[in-house]
Amino acid sequence: MVLGTYKEALSARSTDKQIQKISQDGGIVSALLSFALDEKIIDGAVVSGPGKDMWKPEPMVAMSSDEILAAAGTKYTFSPNVFMLKQAARQYGLEKIGTVAIPCQTMGIRKMQSYPFGVRFVADKIALLLGIYCMENFPFASLQTFISEKMGVSPELVEKMDIGKGKFWIYTADDELSIPLKETHGYEQSGCKVCLDYVAELADLSTGSVGSPDGWSTVLTRTDAGENVFKLAVDAGLIETKPMADVKPGLGLLEKLAKDKKTKNQKTIDERIAMGLPVPYKASTEKEDPLANY
Amino acid sequence: MLARIKKFLGMEAKPAEEKEVPMEEKKVASNEEVEKVAEEKPKPRIGYIHLSGCTGDVMSLTENYDILAPLLTEMVDIVYGQTLVDRWDIPEMDIALVEGSVCLQDEHSLHELKEVREKAGLVVAYGSCAATGCFTRYSRGGQQAQPAHESFVPIADVVKVDLAIPGCPPSPEIIAKTVVAVLNGDMDYLQPMMDLVGYTEACGCDLQLKVVNQALCIACGTCAMACQTRALDMTNGRPELNEDRCVKCGICYTQCPRSWWPMERIKKDTGL
Ligand SMILES: Cc1cc2nc3c(=O)[nH]c(=O)nc-3n(C[C@H](O)[C@H](O)[C@H](O)COP(=O)(O)OP(=O)(O)OC[C@H]3O[C@@H](n4cnc5c(N)ncnc54)[C@H](O)[C@@H]3O)c2cc1C
Ligand code: SF4
Ligand code: SF4
Ligand code: SF4
């Protein structure tokens, strides 16, 4: 299955006007984490908070909805969220931790849960793992290069960044600029080139923009924990949904992108193996399902 | 190796029926689970051998309060171990858990380790001192009673090891999971521990050499979270090692999702 195992696929958005304004897409991550905090499903959440430099996030433990909202929006560079999980458990004493993770971070967390060799009393405290789709990630200096050098805008003036319709976009107070993704491709971190997961296949619930109209998100509920929190938030009127079949461009596009990523990166894996370089995945010839993430 | 382990546990070709523990269910091995396993399988004889380590590993073992009593009384027979069993000679046993590295100047330890290898079916390097040498690598000797004791090596440098469970100490959870896997003959779960036997020269710099330099790092931060001595920081999304703090336990590299990737196991565990 190219999108991993999921229970339901829906198009959804937060009904909260403030969240709609500040969030990246449908505000699903911020809405769900805030709701889970209010309902005591989690005691706090590890999110990508604002850092010292504009657009360079720092992982942080958010203990209130305000802190969760302060972290809304996508920063297209590294935020080692998994790093903070132990602090959340130890320094903050959280028993039920919520977090948001790109697919590779989801892998780090799940591996730690299945094989917690040296990690004491953290694995069982992850109560809600929200995954966000991810095609690639950029070192901070790459972002600076596109924005200041290629697009001629100072990063401080940028209010939002987005990737969509084959372009990298920035929005300032009075402008909207884009460059084709062709021009950003050479700037991705190299580790992304062997990544086989687009849609955070191992999260409790995954979300991202692809498949849904602007301002909405595509949601895949995966585990009981993910499904429960989502249903409760919908019942509480905090999230509105539409069937995937009723929205454009729909699930087909998500499946296509996920498949393209896997096919392209599996090729890189095969090339690396042929060169004798290490890689934690199998060659396509050793796989039953060429699209599986192993 | 696999065949040897299976033979020892008397579970050739018997992929013991899985009792999967869903992720949401917090305890890795519940009481009922332990009891169920205890009823089904013959009791393995286990010995605990303490070489050069800080006793943290056995402390971690005893932190499995909820399963420890059934573990000790119903699931296994502890046949050898300081303070656990009143016995001086090393008996035959199925599994030997070895805590601590072995000191090359300590004839008694070398002898004990070799004898254990002969008498035990499976030798498990339990904890990072046994598996990688860990902080004992840094010993400089000069201890009053034994001034010459200065070379401490992972036990696999001296004897053949079957499973390695690194960790400084290993978490109580991994111990519980391993015990249940061993009793169930769940070879898939144990496979990474067999593979880790060869990983005796551990260091935080493995991340640099084997992950970052190999164009595999993804800035997830798992390594820095897992480091038990806070020797790692994340700088521009990459692990940065403070060598003065690193004890060479190998946990950062072991937990990194780009060193080895047990997807099939994770799918089983999460039900995904
Ligand atoms: C590097 C990257 C690449 C992405 N690529 C795609 C893509 O190809 N297709 C797609 O549909 N979606 C992609 N997304 C996801 C998308 O941009 C949104 O994050 C997602 O739709 C959630 O939107 P929201 O409105 O529900 O979240 P919001 O309510 O806006 O909350 C966003 C959450 O994401 C967290 N976050 C922000 N930046 C990071 C980061 N760098 N690392 C980890 N967490 C972060 C914040 O802490 C916050 O909690 C990507 C995200 C990132 C970080
Ligand atoms: S593409 Fe994969 S490896 Fe790269 S940041 Fe996204 S999830 Fe991580
Ligand atoms: S950096 Fe930390 S986890 Fe890695 S080997 Fe050193 S002490 Fe162990
Ligand atoms: S755990 Fe591995 S991939 Fe993740 S940041 Fe550390 S070295 Fe990089």
Side-chain angles (χ1 to χ4, degrees):
Chain A
M1 241 186 297
V2 70
L3 300 180
T5 308
Y6 64 92
K7 293 175 191 270
E8 209 177 0
L10 288 154
S11 191
R13 73 169 175 187
S14 161
T15 53
D16 183 319
K17 291 276 174 287
Q18 197 209 348
I19 294 183
Q20 284 179 11
K21 219 170 109 206
I22 59 171
S23 64
Q24 187 72 19
D25 298 307
I28 299 302
V29 174
S30 297
L32 285 179
L33 289 178
S34 306
F35 172 74
L37 195 62
D38 290 343
E39 294 298 309
K40 305 204 163 35
I41 295 168
I42 57 174
D43 312 324
V46 173
V47 293
S48 299
K52 284 192 291 294
D53 295 314
M54 186 87 171
W55 295 108
K56 188 175 182 181
E58 293 282 345
M60 66 176 257
V61 181
M63 299 296 289
S64 66
S65 298
D66 284 350
E67 285 176 319
I68 287 167
L69 298 190
T74 303
K75 297 93 180 172
Y76 285 99
T77 188
F78 315 150
S79 176
N81 287 0
V82 188
F83 186 14
M84 288 302 283
L85 293 175
K86 187 148 76 185
Q87 260 109 310
R90 300 279 191 282
Q91 265 127 292
Y92 292 75
L94 306 187
E95 287 293 329
K96 294 174 285 179
I97 305 169
T99 191
V100 48
I102 49 179
C104 56
Q105 297 174 337
T106 314
M107 296 188 213
I109 294 170
R110 291 303 192 206
K111 177 173 165 182
M112 178 267 285
Q113 289 183 310
S114 280
Y115 285 97
F117 280 105
V119 188
R120 303 160 66 77
F121 306 128
V122 178
D124 61 342
K125 298 194 168 61
I126 313 291
L128 185 61
L129 174 48
L130 302 181
I132 51 184
Y133 309 160
C134 177
M135 190 57 86
E136 74 274 279
N137 207 350
F138 300 101
F140 186 62
S142 291
L143 276 189
Q144 284 174 313
T145 306
F146 324 142
I147 298 166
S148 37
E149 306 303 321
K150 293 201 174 207
M151 301 168 103
V153 176
S154 159
E156 285 81 55
L157 299 176
V158 175
E159 294 184 345
K160 184 173 178 172
M161 293 179 198
D162 202 7
I163 292 180
K165 305 180 183 80
K167 291 179 175 166
F168 177 82
W169 301 82
I170 56 173
Y171 302 85
T172 63
D174 41 34
D175 227 346
E176 183 181 309
L177 294 150
S178 67
I179 47 170
L181 286 182
K182 263 207 303 294
E183 292 198 38
T184 67
H185 277 329
Y187 293 87
E188 303 158 13
Q189 72 172 341
S190 55
C192 297
K193 295 193 166 64
V194 298
C195 175
L196 295 174
D197 189 351
Y198 180 53
V199 290
E201 295 176 24
L202 300 170
D204 288 321
L205 173 154
S206 307
T207 185
S209 62
V210 169
S212 292
D214 286 350
W216 288 71
S217 296
T218 303
V219 171
L220 301 169
T221 57
R222 297 190 186 277
T223 63
D224 291 344
E227 185 185 45
N228 278 351
V229 72
F230 187 72
K231 286 211 161 129
L232 288 171
V234 171
D235 290 347
L238 298 176
I239 287 178
E240 54 181 316
T241 64
K242 288 183 191 171
M244 251 352 258
D246 295 356
V247 299
K248 290 232 152 62
L251 210 57
L253 181 63
L254 189 63
E255 286 169 342
K256 177 185 181 308
L257 293 186
K259 191 171 170 204
D260 289 351
K261 176 175 180 177
K262 284 169 185 274
T263 314
K264 180 171 111 227
N265 290 352
Q266 184 64 51
K267 232 178 111 197
T268 313
I269 291 168
D270 291 346
E271 285 163 8
R272 281 186 64 108
I273 291 172
M275 277 194 280
L277 290 170
V279 60
Y281 306 108
K282 288 187 183 161
S284 48
T285 49
E286 293 171 275
K287 282 181 160 180
E288 260 172 56
D289 172 4
L291 300 178
N293 176 18
Y294 60 81
Chain B
M1 177 86 62
L2 198 83
R4 174 142 138 233
I5 293 181
K6 284 186 177 172
K7 187 165 153 263
F8 242 146
L9 298 167
M11 35 194 66
E12 278 111 319
K14 189 165 122 213
E17 87 277 17
E18 292 293 338
K19 331 154 289 32
E20 274 320 311
V21 189
M23 225 60 212
E24 302 84 68
E25 214 176 274
K26 293 173 139 208
K27 284 297 163 221
V28 285
S30 68
N31 275 333
E32 301 99 83
E33 201 181 344
V34 166
E35 278 155 22
K36 185 161 166 271
V37 171
E39 278 167 24
E40 289 166 0
K41 304 280 186 308
K43 284 188 196 180
R45 293 161 298 165
I46 298 197
Y48 197 93
I49 288 83
H50 196 153
L51 300 176
S52 302
C54 70
T55 315
D57 303 328
V58 78
M59 297 281 287
S60 201
L61 177 77
T62 59
E63 268 181 273
N64 283 299
Y65 306 108
D66 50 343
I67 65 160
L68 196 69
L71 173 75
L72 294 183
T73 51
E74 292 157 34
M75 290 169 81
V76 301
D77 275 332
I78 300 276
V79 293
Y80 185 73
Q82 263 177 32
T83 72
L84 297 171
V85 183
D86 186 13
R87 181 157 189 173
W88 289 83
D89 59 314
I90 300 178
E92 297 278 331
M93 59 183 98
D94 299 312
I95 302 172
L97 297 175
V98 183
E99 165 175 352
S101 58
V102 57
C103 174
L104 296 180
Q105 290 84 29
D106 181 357
E107 256 179 70
H108 173 73
S109 293
L110 281 169
H111 181 260
E112 190 177 6
L113 182 60
K114 285 187 188 147
E115 194 177 340
V116 159
R117 175 65 281 181
E118 279 164 27
K119 301 249 173 93
L122 295 181
V123 171
V124 181
Y126 173 61
S128 283
C129 286
T132 68
C134 201
F135 72 90
T136 66
R137 291 267 196 200
Y138 294 109
S139 299
R140 291 290 170 268
Q143 296 268 323
Q144 201 122 70
Q146 300 289 354
H149 285 193
E150 62 166 5
S151 326
F152 295 81
V153 296
I155 60 167
D157 280 10
V158 174
V159 296
K160 191 164 172 356
V161 172
D162 299 296
L163 294 179
I165 311 178
C168 181
S171 70
E173 298 99 306
I174 195 80
I175 298 164
K177 281 174 168 254
T178 308
V179 168
V180 171
V182 165
L183 291 165
N184 277 328
D186 181 352
M187 292 304 141
D188 292 340
Y189 190 74
L190 300 175
Q191 187 61 50
M193 296 178 215
M194 295 183 224
D195 298 340
L196 283 167
V197 167
Y199 182 44
T200 52
E201 284 181 41
C203 177
C205 53
D206 292 344
L207 299 172
Q208 185 62 45
L209 300 176
K210 299 179 183 167
V211 186
V212 180
N213 288 156
Q214 298 295 330
L216 291 173
C217 180
I218 46 197
C220 63
T222 308
C223 50
M225 183 266 308
C227 176
Q228 294 174 286
T229 64
R230 284 196 249 154
L232 290 171
D233 224 318
M234 296 298 293
T235 302
N236 279 329
R238 296 293 174 255
E240 186 171 83
L241 174 68
N242 175 347
E243 287 184 41
D244 292 341
R245 294 192 81 114
C246 176
V247 294
K248 298 188 186 280
C249 66
I251 283 305
C252 49
Y253 180 70
T254 303
Q255 300 283 177
C256 170
R258 288 290 167 98
S259 56
W260 48 281
W261 174 234
M263 175 72 164
E264 281 152 69
R265 184 71 209 185
I266 290 168
K267 284 200 143 211
K268 264 191 191 173
D269 284 352
T270 51
L272 285 171

